[in-house]
Amino acid sequence: MAECIRFVCGHCARAIDAWSDGNPFYLDEGGKKRYAYHPDHQNLDRCIANDVPHLCLGCGSKRKVDSRKPRTDCPTCKVGRLVATWDLEGQPCPYCKTGVFARHGSVGIS
Ligand SMILES: [Zn+2]
Ligand SMILES: [Zn+2]
């Protein structure tokens, strides 16, 4: 089961939704990435890694980071730090540069 958590900036109210299980994927016969989502349990069992949604705390850009090749440097602004979106609690907001994100609660389950 996947849960969607919403984090909201206490200053500018910018909201970021994060799914607890990210984007699990497996490689097909040709070595190409294929995503598997609930309730596709047959393919979920084949998953070898996860494209984890990250947010840059410097410029606010979002990108997926392959769990086989974790990185924290932002290729967009070069100076920001990438943080997994479900780890945003207490992190500084990159949009207003003033507030911090607080866990707003669960907004969905699939
Ligand atoms: Zn903010
Ligand atoms: Zn950045």
Side-chain angles (χ1 to χ4, degrees):
M1 205 159 68
E3 190 182 13
C4 188
I5 303 290
R6 177 165 292 168
F7 295 94
V8 180
C9 170
H11 184 74
C12 68
R14 182 79 176 236
I16 304 282
D17 290 345
W19 284 95
S20 63
D21 61 351
N23 302 281
F25 66 84
Y26 59 94
L27 302 179
D28 68 12
E29 296 72 25
K32 203 169 180 304
K33 260 186 207 182
R34 303 278 181 190
Y35 293 111
Y37 295 103
H38 294 274
D40 186 358
H41 292 289
Q42 196 185 341
N43 282 326
L44 273 171
D45 285 345
R46 302 165 64 187
C47 288
I48 53 159
N50 201 317
D51 270 353
V52 182
H54 279 61
L55 180 73
C56 174
L57 297 182
C59 65
S61 67
K62 289 183 196 170
R63 64 181 295 115
K64 295 190 184 98
V65 177
D66 192 322
S67 64
R68 296 172 302 171
K69 290 175 268 177
R71 63 184 298 173
T72 55
D73 58 307
C74 173
T76 305
C77 67
K78 315 279 190 225
V79 293
R81 186 164 59 90
L82 297 176
V83 172
T85 53
W86 63 66
D87 262 345
L88 278 177
E89 187 167 17
Q91 297 289 354
C93 172
Y95 305 108
C96 66
K97 316 263 186 216
T98 304
V100 295
F101 286 107
R103 195 181 158 114
H104 188 71
S106 178
V107 289
I109 280 176
S110 79

